[in-house]
Amino acid sequence: MSGEVEASTEEQQEIQDTVVSPEKTEEAKLKARYPHLGTKPGGSDLLRKRLQKGQKYFDSGDYNMAKAKMKNKQLPTAAAEKTEITGDHIPTPQDLPQRKQSLVASKLAV
Amino acid sequence: MGAGGGGNDVQWCFSQVKGAIDDDVAEADIISTVEFNHSGELLATGDKGGRVVIFQQETENKSQPQCRSEYNVYSTFQSHEPEFDYLKSLEIEEKINKIRWLPQKNAAQFLLSTNDKTIKLWKISERDKRPEGYNLKEEDGRYRDAATITTLRVPVFRPMDLMVEASPRRVFVNGHTYHINSISVNSDNETYLSADDLRINLWHLEITDRSFNVVDIKPANMEELTEVITAAEFHPHQCNTFVYSSSKGTIRLCDMRASALCDKHSKLFEEPEDPSNRSFFSEIISSISDVKFSHNGRYMMTRDYLSVKIWDLNMENRPVETYQVHEYLRSKLCSLYENDCIFDKFECCWNGNDSVVMTGSYNNFFRMLDRSQRRDVTLEASRESCKARQVLKPRRVCAGGKRKKDEISVDSLDFNKKILHTAWHPQENIIAVATTNNLYIFQEKVN
């Protein structure tokens, strides 16, 4: 008899918590999915990730290769080699684009 | 005509939409900033591809007063290009983070545009005449044989088709180690500030090789980093005053007369938090994504993830008004954290007489919050309501329970359709709303 009463009090408390704070429910959901999530809320990890936004390249050669590859992919005649990783191979003349792609005007200015 | 008031007696109609209709959006076409100039005659947009497009309001057609003036393309140029930071081996995006107009001083228009690292001052000028009748040159530019010249004439200016030229007048480089999030022109019209995650610099518009650091919150040990600067703005009239907001939901007001280095604030605006309500998400959703002074300079507005707050500059301990933008998202924070939407940075803006504020949301919804009438409305920028002068219908989101007709449920919202950037004409009821790659212009219904 008393066990049942206790259980229903606990349930009531849980319902109250959910009603009072949907945020806490969401937090519990998140912690359940990612148990190793930082104990410090927000935290320096997030901030540091924010301070260093942007894709890191090995060096400027790597960067220029990646840019050329992107432009190559946009040109309809270029062969699409999707398995290649940036900086993976030394380019041959066939891989390089014929000319620098002209600047495309904004579609808002049409 | 427009007093810029009453967000909710006002009926908003579709006026124009700019941009491509196709759903396949190139990254470069993502709009990253929208800004009216001080008269409202010009409207500038910046995109992820580093391009700026400026629209000009056509002079009203007197014979058709119900046909409100339209904005047409005036000038477009490539403001920033992608660069490579050799020291850090990081790409510097060409995305335009902010555009700010300078007040007009002469025939030309000036604006500041910035990406993560470099600020540029652009001059936009018109040319509608050209000199003709040179003595030494033919009209096509070839030089004439001096021996054939027997008379002298005075070259005259003759009208030509309007040409609008944009030229970079100043380039302000190497002022920032971290990513620039804000620029703000001072009311003295000589200086401006630029803010990155940890520092705020003061520049003179004429001087590019020197900048004065006014705020530095970088800790000696980066492990101790607890907050970053998220936005900064100069006061509209007091040239000594500026504010900056933080990722922890605080705003600091600084007075440059008090000291050269404004690390110590003059005022700290912070709403006390109920510690029992604190959760993992509390700090993230309290991060302020935008701060804007009211036109009259007595208030400032801040935007955090779920709300808009109006602060009286004379009261630091709490905002005078708080408006919920999309409270129904509070019970979706877990998934919004997982898909990174919780980090979206929404902007906000005031109307001309500070009676209504506007901010964006998801599903291409945007919110108009009327301060004087204490009413709010949700509207949508979509291709479906694109008929000329079609009045926008209020939208409603159903948070739970039984969904009424015409309501949309929270789970059906498209979180990829975000309205982060909006702008309000300084005098009239004309608004510019940017969806991912389209710019919508809405106007007040004129009877």
Side-chain angles (χ1 to χ4, degrees):
Chain A
M1 190 64 170
S2 60
E4 276 175 28
V5 172
E6 269 173 33
S8 70
T9 316
E10 265 173 33
E11 269 169 36
Q12 262 179 25
Q13 188 57 43
E14 231 176 70
I15 293 165
Q16 223 173 29
D17 274 346
T18 318
V19 164
V20 161
S21 176
E23 258 180 66
K24 292 239 171 86
T25 322
E26 291 296 298
E27 180 177 14
K29 244 192 255 175
L30 196 67
K31 291 246 163 91
R33 289 183 206 178
Y34 311 100
H36 300 297
L37 202 56
T39 46
K40 203 169 154 198
S44 320
D45 288 336
L46 278 173
L47 287 179
R48 242 176 278 133
K49 200 173 94 173
R50 184 200 176 123
L51 289 182
Q52 198 196 288
K53 98 178 189 219
Q55 189 175 354
K56 190 117 183 167
Y57 293 88
F58 180 69
D59 62 12
S60 62
D62 187 17
Y63 170 70
N64 286 313
M65 283 282 294
K67 280 277 148 180
K69 195 163 306 222
M70 246 170 46
K71 285 186 178 160
N72 254 341
K73 284 207 174 121
Q74 281 168 20
L75 293 170
T77 50
E81 291 180 278
K82 295 202 168 83
T83 53
E84 263 181 306
I85 306 161
T86 301
D88 202 28
H89 79 305
I90 296 166
T92 59
Q94 295 96 288
D95 294 333
L96 295 173
Q98 293 294 347
R99 62 176 182 85
K100 191 178 168 192
Q101 193 172 47
S102 20
L103 293 170
V104 182
S106 165
K107 295 198 177 112
L108 294 181
V110 166
Chain B
M1 189 75 202
N8 292 294
D9 334 279
V10 174
Q11 294 222 287
W12 292 97
C13 325
F14 170 80
S15 174
Q16 298 169 276
V17 62
K18 309 278 184 191
I21 304 174
D22 53 69
D23 282 327
D24 191 17
V25 183
E27 277 228 10
D29 293 326
I30 296 172
I31 300 171
S32 51
T33 185
V34 183
E35 188 83 356
F36 280 101
N37 76 336
H38 293 264
S39 66
E41 187 208 352
L42 299 177
L43 175 60
T45 61
D47 66 22
K48 213 163 179 226
R51 301 165 298 192
V52 170
V53 182
I54 302 174
F55 303 93
Q56 183 187 43
Q57 194 178 25
E58 297 302 320
T59 45
E60 265 183 58
N61 192 338
K62 298 276 190 278
S63 63
Q64 286 186 301
Q66 64 269 32
C67 204
R68 291 294 286 274
S69 43
E70 289 198 334
Y71 282 84
N72 298 319
V73 180
Y74 180 65
S75 171
T76 176
F77 54 93
Q78 185 79 33
S79 171
H80 288 70
E81 300 247 16
E83 287 175 72
F84 190 70
D85 181 336
Y86 293 92
L87 212 52
K88 295 183 186 162
S89 291
L90 285 173
E91 178 175 29
I92 301 171
E93 271 193 313
E94 67 273 36
K95 171 167 79 86
I96 309 295
N97 292 335
K98 285 281 171 0
I99 289 172
R100 289 287 182 265
W101 291 92
L102 268 59
Q104 191 171 14
K105 275 201 279 204
N106 51 38
Q109 299 278 358
F110 288 86
L111 61 78
L112 286 171
S113 69
T114 187
N115 69 347
D116 282 339
K117 296 285 181 173
T118 304
I119 307 138
K120 295 188 184 180
L121 176 70
W122 288 88
K123 177 180 179 182
I124 297 110
S125 46
E126 292 184 358
R127 196 198 291 252
D128 62 357
K129 336 182 228 306
R130 64 154 176 258
E132 285 177 19
Y134 284 105
N135 291 290
L136 300 174
K137 279 196 286 191
E138 302 285 4
E139 291 308 324
D140 61 9
R142 283 178 301 142
Y143 280 97
R144 293 168 69 188
D145 181 1
T148 63
I149 299 168
T150 52
T151 57
L152 280 180
R153 57 187 175 172
V154 178
V156 288
F157 277 103
R158 296 223 185 275
M160 62 178 251
D161 286 340
L162 180 66
M163 206 165 72
V164 182
E165 303 166 315
S167 58
R169 304 304 281 174
R170 305 273 186 275
V171 183
F172 303 91
V173 286
N174 297 327
H176 291 276
T177 307
Y178 302 98
H179 299 107
I180 298 172
N181 52 55
S182 313
I183 46 174
S184 178
V185 184
N186 199 338
S187 53
D188 68 9
N189 211 2
E190 285 187 352
T191 57
Y192 73 94
L193 63 75
S194 58
D196 67 31
D197 292 314
L198 298 177
R199 299 188 176 108
I200 301 178
N201 292 337
L202 183 71
W203 303 81
H204 192 285
L205 286 164
E206 300 290 318
I207 299 167
T208 57
D209 64 353
R210 261 167 300 158
S211 168
F212 190 66
N213 177 246
V214 288
V215 172
D216 187 339
I217 65 167
K218 184 177 182 207
N221 181 359
M222 284 298 271
E223 298 285 316
E224 291 163 24
L225 181 70
T226 53
E227 70 184 319
V228 294
I229 297 169
T230 53
E233 196 181 46
F234 263 121
H235 190 278
H237 317 133
Q238 295 165 18
C239 57
N240 56 293
T241 305
F242 66 89
V243 291
Y244 68 92
S245 58
S246 84
S247 53
K248 277 185 153 174
T250 63
I251 310 100
R252 287 173 176 80
L253 183 139
C254 300
D255 184 339
M256 296 194 292
R257 296 170 304 187
S259 73
L261 191 56
C262 295
D263 279 0
K264 232 174 69 158
H265 54 262
S266 297
K267 291 191 186 182
L268 173 66
F269 297 83
E270 188 173 14
E271 184 167 24
E273 192 195 14
D274 180 1
S276 64
N277 274 337
R278 193 164 176 81
S279 75
F280 174 81
F281 303 110
S282 299
E283 191 173 306
I284 302 173
I285 62 172
S286 71
S287 177
I288 292 171
S289 49
D290 195 15
V291 63
K292 293 264 171 52
F293 278 104
S294 60
H295 290 96
N296 62 21
R298 297 203 328 248
Y299 300 95
M300 66 178 174
M301 162 167 55
T302 57
R303 174 70 155 98
D304 52 66
Y305 191 60
L306 297 178
S307 67
V308 159
K309 294 179 181 172
I310 311 283
W311 302 79
D312 183 324
L313 293 185
N314 296 315
M315 188 158 74
E316 297 167 60
N317 59 357
R318 58 177 174 81
V320 288
E321 293 154 39
T322 301
Y323 301 92
Q324 301 305 328
V325 180
H326 37 217
E327 180 67 14
Y328 45 79
L329 295 184
R330 200 180 288 271
S331 48
K332 301 285 170 195
L333 292 177
C334 182
S335 27
L336 292 168
Y337 178 86
E338 288 178 298
N339 62 19
D340 273 352
C341 282
I342 205 175
F343 301 105
D344 284 336
K345 296 182 180 57
F346 292 94
E347 292 174 7
C348 53
C349 60
W350 298 82
N351 73 341
N353 66 7
D354 300 330
S355 60
V356 186
V357 298
M358 168 169 61
T359 190
S361 179
Y362 295 103
N363 209 70
N364 283 347
F365 286 172
F366 59 99
R367 302 266 288 141
M368 301 282 222
L369 310 161
D370 191 327
R371 301 178 60 214
S372 45
Q373 303 196 29
R374 287 297 186 156
R375 284 192 290 175
D376 59 86
V377 70
T378 304
L379 300 172
E380 182 179 1
S382 85
R383 290 272 172 180
E384 272 125 38
S385 33
C386 274
K387 288 192 216 82
R389 294 188 293 282
Q390 177 178 359
V391 175
L392 295 182
K393 217 176 63 150
R395 311 288 284 145
R396 265 172 275 275
V397 178
C398 165
K402 200 152 179 229
R403 187 177 73 90
K404 300 194 190 78
K405 177 177 164 252
D406 279 354
E407 279 187 350
I408 179 167
S409 85
V410 186
D411 298 308
S412 310
L413 295 175
D414 188 340
F415 290 95
N416 289 318
K417 294 190 175 163
K418 348 182 175 218
I419 290 178
L420 303 173
H421 313 286
T422 59
W424 205 311
H425 189 290
Q427 278 117 40
E428 296 170 41
N429 275 339
I430 302 173
I431 54 176
V433 173
T435 58
T436 308
N437 64 326
N438 286 160
L439 182 72
Y440 287 80
I441 298 171
F442 301 108
Q443 294 187 7
E444 180 175 20
K445 180 167 185 244
V446 181
N447 290 315

